[in-house]
Amino acid sequence: MSKSWKQSMLGGGEGGSSSKPPKPQVNTADEELARKLNEELNAGLVEDANPKNDRHSKAGCPAEIQTAIDYAQRFADEVLSTTCHKCESPLIQDLDVPYWTQKWKAGQQMQTAPPASAMKCKCGATTCLGCAEKPRRGDPKYMSKRKDLTLDWCCNKGGVFVAWVLLCEYDNMELYLQAKGLENQDVMKQRYGHKGKGGGTGYGGGFGYYGFPMGGYGGYGRPGARQAFNFKQADSETDGSTQWILAMLIELLPTRNETSRKISPALSSTIELSLLQDRTAELLRNDSLQDVNKRFGLYFATFEFVSRLSQHPQLDYLVREERFVKKQSAGLHTIATAGSSKGKSYAQESLTVASRSEGMAASLVSCLSKLATQSKVLLSGPNSQAAGEDFREIAQKIDKLHSRLAVGTTKFAAVTTWKEYHQAHCLKRRADVARHLCSKMANQAQNVTNSNKGRMARLVTEASEMTTSLPENIFVMVDEALIVGPKGTPYEGGLFENDLEHRSNKRLRFDIVCGSEYPARSPKVWFLTTGQGKIRFNPNLYDTGKVCLSLLGTWPGSPETQWQPNRSTITSILVSIQSMILWKWPWENEPGHEDAHIKGAHYLNKCLEYNDQIRQWTIRYATIDWLKRKQMRDGLWKDVVRDYFRFCGRGVVESARLWEKGRKSNSIFGGLGSTSKALVDELETAIEAVRK
C-alpha cells in the first residue's frame, strides 16, 4: 500500500477547532467553498497536503519520515494549543504522559468514566483535546467494544490523542529500560575492564540507535552511544505494560467492517515513528512457538494489533511495506514536541533514520514468516494433536493471519544457493526412519511405552521450530540428523550423520533417543566411530559410543551449560556438536589442552598435527564414502548428498587442495592411500561424477 494517501484529503475527526472565528459573509460560491474547506481543515477533516514545519527539517531525512514527523508535530501543536470551550483558557502546557495513563488505568473499573480525551478546566468545564468541544458521551462509534475495557474517546481526533499518549508511554518505557541496560554494561566494563558480550540479535542491518534525554525518567538517554536496542532484555518487565497498551490501541483502530472510515494521518504517523512498531517486529521475529505460548496474552494482542492495521487501506502499509531503520530516537513524545513553543527544546535531533540506500528493515509480514512456517508444520504434522489445544490455537491464529497478509507477496524464486536450499529442506519427515537406528538405541526407543506428560507436545513443537531455527548445515529427518562439517575446521566438507544402522560402515553417526522422561531429562546420544572402532574423530567422541557434552550430563560443567528442561532442546544439542566438537581446534577438547594453539610453538604443532589427521579421515570417511558407497549415496539423505555436492562440491575440492599443498609431508595416516595428493584426487573425481 502506497503512502501517497497521506498527501491527499483524509479524515481526522468531527467537531470544530479550538479557535472559533465568526462566519464570513458569503458573496460567491467560490467564497462559500473556500470557507467550508477552511473550516474542515481546522476541524481535522482535511489535512494540508504539504504541512509547513521547518523546526525539525534536516538534510537527508527520507521524505516519508519527514512527512510523518510534520503530521505528528502539527497534531501535537493543536493539542497543546487547545483552550477551554467555555472560558477559552489554555488547558495544557505540556503532555504529562504518566498522568494520562494512570488516569485511564484508574478509570477502567468505572462504568461512567469521562471520555479519555477530556481535560477539566479550572472553571469547571470539561473539553475534549481532540475537537476542542464539550465531550460527547455514549456514541458507539467512539467507545470500546470490549466488555472488560471501559474506553470512550469522544471523536476521531480524541482517539488520535489517546493513541499518541499510549505510544509516548511505550517509547518512554522502552527508552528507560534500554538506558538501564547500557548503564549495566558500563558497570561491567568498569568492574571487569571489558565490554559485556552482545546479548541480542542485530537490529536493522547493523545500525545502532540511542535514546535522548526525556522528561519524567531522569535523563537516562545517552547521546552518542552506538548501541542497538535489545528488545529481549526486559521482556519480563515490559510484557504486561505492552499488552495493555496494545489492547487500548486495538480498540482505537478500525475493525474489518470499518474500512471506509477515514483515518487521520497523525494516527499512522505516530505509529510509524514510535518504537512500538519496532517492538512488534521483534515479537513477530521470534522463532519459538514455545515462547509464544508462554506469553500468549502479549502475542494475541500483537497479532490482533497487526491484523487491525492490515485491514484498513490507509494503515496497511505499516504492515506490508519495508520499514525505515531508526538509527537514533528520543521517543515519540520528544519527536512530536521538540522545538515547539509549548514543549521542551533540544539542540540535538530527536530522530535519525537511515535512507533507503542504506538498507530497509523487514516488513511486519516478513517478520512473521518464520512463525508462520512453524505453525504450518505443526498443524500439518501427523502428531499435531499431541501439541495440545493451546499450541494449536496459537498456530492456527498465526497461520490464518500470515495467509491473509501474504496474499500477493509470496515469491517462488528458484533455489540458487546452498543457503536457500538449506532453508527449504532443513526438516524432512519419513515414516521408516526409526528402523535405521543402531541396535542399542533402537532397543531404548522401543522401551519408551509410557511418556512423561508433555513429552509428545514438546517434541512436536520442537520439530516445528526446527524449520526456521536450525543453523545452516544442520538437517533433521524426524529421528535423524545430518551435520555438515563447518568451514575453516578439519571437518570441512564432511557429512556427519545420526541414526543410520550399518555396523561395518566407516562414518560418523549420532543416534538420539528422547526417553519417556523427556524433556525433564536430556536425550540419550550414542556415537559410533569409523573403521570398526579404530578411529576417534574427536576427544569428545569415544570409540565406545560415549558423547562427552555437558548438555547430555556426560561431561561436568557449570549449571548454565547443563540440560535445562525449560530451555534446552534437541536443536541446542546439534548446535553444540557442530560448534563445540566439530570446531577448528579439536585437540583442545582434551582436558589440559585448553587454548593449546596459543601457548607456544610446541602446542601449536600438536594442534596442527591432530587437525591433519582428522582432515584425512574426514575426506575418506565423511566425504568420499558418501559419494562412492551405494548404501550411503542412495540412502535416506540421497537428495541432500547430491545437492550438497552440486552446490558446494568445487569448494570442498578447493579447500582440500589448499590443505594438501600446505602439508609438510605427503604421507597420510592409517592406510588411507599412498599420498595425500592421491586422496584429494580421488575426492575430486568422485565429486565430479556426482555433479554430472
Side-chain angles (χ1 to χ4, degrees):
M1 177 67 186
S2 173
K3 300 177 187 176
S4 61
W5 67 271
K6 281 187 173 184
Q7 307 295 338
S8 61
M9 185 179 71
L10 293 172
E14 296 85 354
S17 67
S18 57
S19 59
K20 301 177 181 178
K23 293 184 179 181
Q25 184 69 30
V26 179
N27 295 322
T28 65
D30 288 341
E31 290 177 350
E32 172 66 11
L33 178 60
R35 182 188 64 77
K36 288 183 177 180
L37 286 174
N38 185 61
E39 288 181 349
E40 290 179 353
L41 179 62
N42 289 335
L45 292 171
V46 180
E47 293 287 350
D48 187 355
N50 295 288
K52 307 299 182 189
N53 192 333
D54 297 329
R55 71 168 183 258
H56 197 287
S57 297
K58 52 184 181 292
C61 179
E64 297 93 332
I65 295 298
Q66 185 63 62
T67 299
I69 291 172
D70 291 339
Y71 278 127
Q73 292 182 340
R74 176 175 173 174
F75 179 79
D77 279 348
E78 291 177 355
V79 170
L80 298 177
S81 300
T82 304
T83 59
C84 175
H85 76 92
K86 184 176 181 180
C87 70
E88 299 188 353
S89 298
L91 287 174
I92 184 171
Q93 297 297 317
D94 192 11
L95 184 66
D96 186 349
V97 175
Y99 162 80
W100 288 99
T101 55
Q102 291 168 15
K103 173 184 174 182
W104 296 335
K105 288 179 180 179
Q108 293 299 309
Q109 306 300 324
M110 299 170 57
Q111 298 299 319
T112 59
S117 57
M119 185 75 177
K120 190 173 183 179
C121 178
K122 58 185 178 182
C123 73
T126 302
T127 302
C128 173
L129 293 175
C131 61
E133 298 287 351
K134 181 179 179 180
R136 73 188 83 185
R137 294 173 181 268
D139 189 333
K141 291 192 300 183
Y142 309 117
M143 295 182 64
S144 170
K145 309 300 188 294
R146 286 177 53 173
K147 296 181 180 180
D148 60 340
L149 197 156
T150 302
L151 187 63
D152 184 335
W153 54 92
C154 174
C155 60
N156 273 346
K157 288 186 72 173
V160 177
F161 169 76
V162 176
W164 177 40
V165 174
L166 291 168
L167 293 168
C168 288
E169 169 72 2
Y170 178 80
D171 281 17
N172 286 349
M173 174 183 66
E174 188 66 65
L175 288 171
Y176 170 70
L177 291 169
Q178 296 294 335
K180 283 180 62 179
L182 290 176
E183 286 186 342
N184 291 337
Q185 289 188 12
D186 286 343
V187 171
M188 286 184 62
K189 185 176 180 181
Q190 293 173 7
R191 183 175 299 174
Y192 301 109
H194 62 83
K195 294 183 179 180
K197 290 184 178 180
T201 59
Y203 176 85
F207 290 111
Y209 58 98
Y210 53 83
F212 290 75
M214 55 202 169
Y217 287 88
Y220 277 95
R222 288 187 7 182
R226 297 291 176 177
Q227 174 67 36
F229 270 138
N230 174 15
F231 285 99
K232 297 181 179 180
Q233 70 175 3
D235 286 346
S236 60
E237 297 181 65
T238 63
D239 277 8
S241 297
T242 303
Q243 182 178 338
W244 177 78
I245 289 171
L246 287 171
M248 294 277 283
L249 288 171
I250 289 167
E251 295 305 305
L252 298 168
L253 295 173
T255 65
R256 68 180 63 183
N257 298 322
E258 298 175 312
T259 55
S260 61
R261 172 177 149 192
K262 291 185 176 180
I263 302 297
S264 168
L267 177 60
S268 59
S269 296
T270 51
I271 295 174
E272 184 173 15
L273 297 173
S274 170
L275 296 176
L276 183 62
Q277 189 189 33
D278 305 280
R279 171 68 166 182
T280 300
E282 189 64 35
L283 289 169
L284 297 179
R285 222 182 336 246
N286 190 346
D287 62 355
S288 171
L289 278 175
Q290 295 183 71
D291 185 56
V292 172
N293 185 49
K294 292 175 183 177
R295 304 159 67 193
F296 69 92
L298 172 64
Y299 269 93
F300 267 70
T302 301
F303 297 147
E304 184 60 27
F305 175 63
V306 172
S307 180
R308 287 289 183 96
L309 291 175
S310 68
Q311 289 170 359
H312 198 282
Q314 294 170 357
L315 296 173
D316 71 342
Y317 80 93
L318 295 168
V319 174
R320 300 180 189 277
E321 293 189 1
E322 291 183 325
R323 299 169 292 117
F324 286 97
V325 176
K326 299 180 179 74
K327 290 184 177 180
Q328 306 163 4
S329 176
L332 183 59
H333 184 190
T334 302
I335 293 170
T337 60
S340 71
S341 58
K342 299 290 185 181
K344 296 180 179 180
S345 178
Y346 296 99
Q348 297 162 303
E349 298 289 1
S350 56
L351 179 67
T352 304
V353 178
S355 64
R356 287 186 181 275
S357 61
E358 292 178 279
M360 301 287 284
S363 68
L364 297 187
V365 178
S366 297
C367 291
L368 185 61
S369 60
K370 286 189 175 182
L371 281 177
T373 300
Q374 293 181 18
S375 298
K376 284 184 179 296
V377 170
L378 186 146
L379 294 171
S380 61
N383 298 313
S384 64
Q385 294 296 333
E389 193 61 33
D390 290 344
F391 273 110
R392 286 183 57 80
E393 183 180 1
I394 289 172
Q396 289 168 353
K397 179 89 172 175
I398 295 171
D399 183 50
K400 182 178 180 181
L401 176 60
H402 187 264
S403 297
R404 180 170 61 80
L405 295 179
V407 172
T409 63
T410 304
K411 298 179 181 179
F412 298 97
V415 174
T416 59
T417 66
W418 175 245
K419 181 177 181 179
E420 293 172 347
Y421 181 88
H422 175 267
Q423 291 174 343
H425 302 280
C426 63
L427 180 70
K428 292 178 176 291
R429 288 191 175 95
R430 182 164 168 169
D432 63 343
V433 171
R435 71 180 178 84
H436 293 275
L437 283 168
C438 71
S439 57
K440 182 180 182 67
M441 300 303 278
N443 291 335
Q444 291 192 28
Q446 291 173 0
N447 291 331
V448 180
T449 55
N450 297 316
S451 291
N452 182 37
K453 182 179 180 181
R455 174 179 177 272
M456 282 304 300
R458 174 67 173 267
L459 291 174
V460 169
T461 54
E462 278 198 46
S464 64
E465 289 177 1
M466 286 180 185
T467 58
T468 61
S469 63
L470 284 174
E472 189 173 346
N473 290 334
I474 295 181
F475 293 82
V476 172
M477 190 183 294
V478 187
D479 297 318
E480 180 166 340
L482 184 74
I483 301 177
V484 179
K487 289 184 178 181
T489 74
Y491 304 98
E492 181 175 346
L495 303 179
F496 303 101
E497 180 199 16
N498 72 357
D499 283 357
L500 274 171
E501 167 62 17
H502 188 70
R503 291 174 182 256
S504 62
N505 71 359
K506 299 178 179 180
R507 291 170 291 159
L508 281 177
R509 311 205 301 272
F510 297 93
D511 291 343
I512 303 175
V513 171
C514 299
S516 60
E517 296 183 343
Y518 185 83
R521 291 182 179 273
S522 64
K524 301 294 183 182
V525 178
W526 195 257
F527 169 70
L528 300 179
T529 58
T530 62
Q532 298 180 348
K534 296 179 181 179
I535 296 176
R536 185 174 174 182
F537 265 85
N538 189 283
N540 289 68
L541 304 175
Y542 284 71
D543 53 12
T544 60
K546 180 180 179 180
V547 178
C548 285
L549 201 62
S550 55
L551 266 177
L552 302 174
T554 54
W555 184 255
S558 58
E560 60 269 18
T561 65
Q562 301 291 322
W563 180 264
Q564 300 178 48
N566 294 327
R567 297 181 59 185
S568 303
T569 63
I570 297 172
T571 298
S572 62
I573 292 175
L574 296 175
V575 171
S576 295
I577 292 173
Q578 183 190 54
S579 61
M580 299 173 65
I581 295 180
L582 306 179
W583 76 301
K584 186 176 182 179
W585 303 108
W587 193 63
E588 294 183 5
N589 285 25
E590 190 72 47
H593 294 172
E594 295 84 358
D595 298 325
H597 72 283
I598 60 175
K599 290 182 177 179
H602 172 73
Y603 289 101
L604 176 59
N605 287 334
K606 288 289 186 180
C607 289
L608 294 176
E609 288 175 4
Y610 190 83
N611 280 8
D612 193 49
Q613 179 179 355
I614 296 300
R615 187 61 184 266
Q616 296 171 47
W617 289 339
T618 296
I619 293 174
R620 167 57 65 192
Y621 301 126
T623 310
I624 293 177
D625 276 6
W626 278 102
L627 297 166
K628 301 184 72 172
R629 299 185 59 169
K630 182 176 176 58
Q631 70 269 32
M632 297 174 67
R633 186 181 64 245
D634 297 333
L636 290 175
W637 294 105
K638 63 179 181 180
D639 293 338
V640 176
V641 172
R642 180 196 64 228
D643 292 326
Y644 170 68
F645 290 110
R646 178 168 65 89
F647 281 110
C648 307
R650 288 178 179 172
V652 171
V653 173
E654 290 174 4
S655 177
R657 287 291 181 199
L658 289 175
W659 161 76
E660 183 261 325
K661 291 179 180 179
R663 299 185 71 238
K664 296 180 180 179
S665 171
N666 198 27
S667 62
I668 55 179
F669 295 90
L672 296 179
S674 57
T675 64
S676 57
K677 183 179 183 302
L679 186 66
V680 177
D681 288 344
E682 183 181 359
L683 171 68
E684 183 174 18
T685 301
I687 288 179
E688 288 304 315
V690 171
R691 286 174 56 83
K692 292 178 182 179

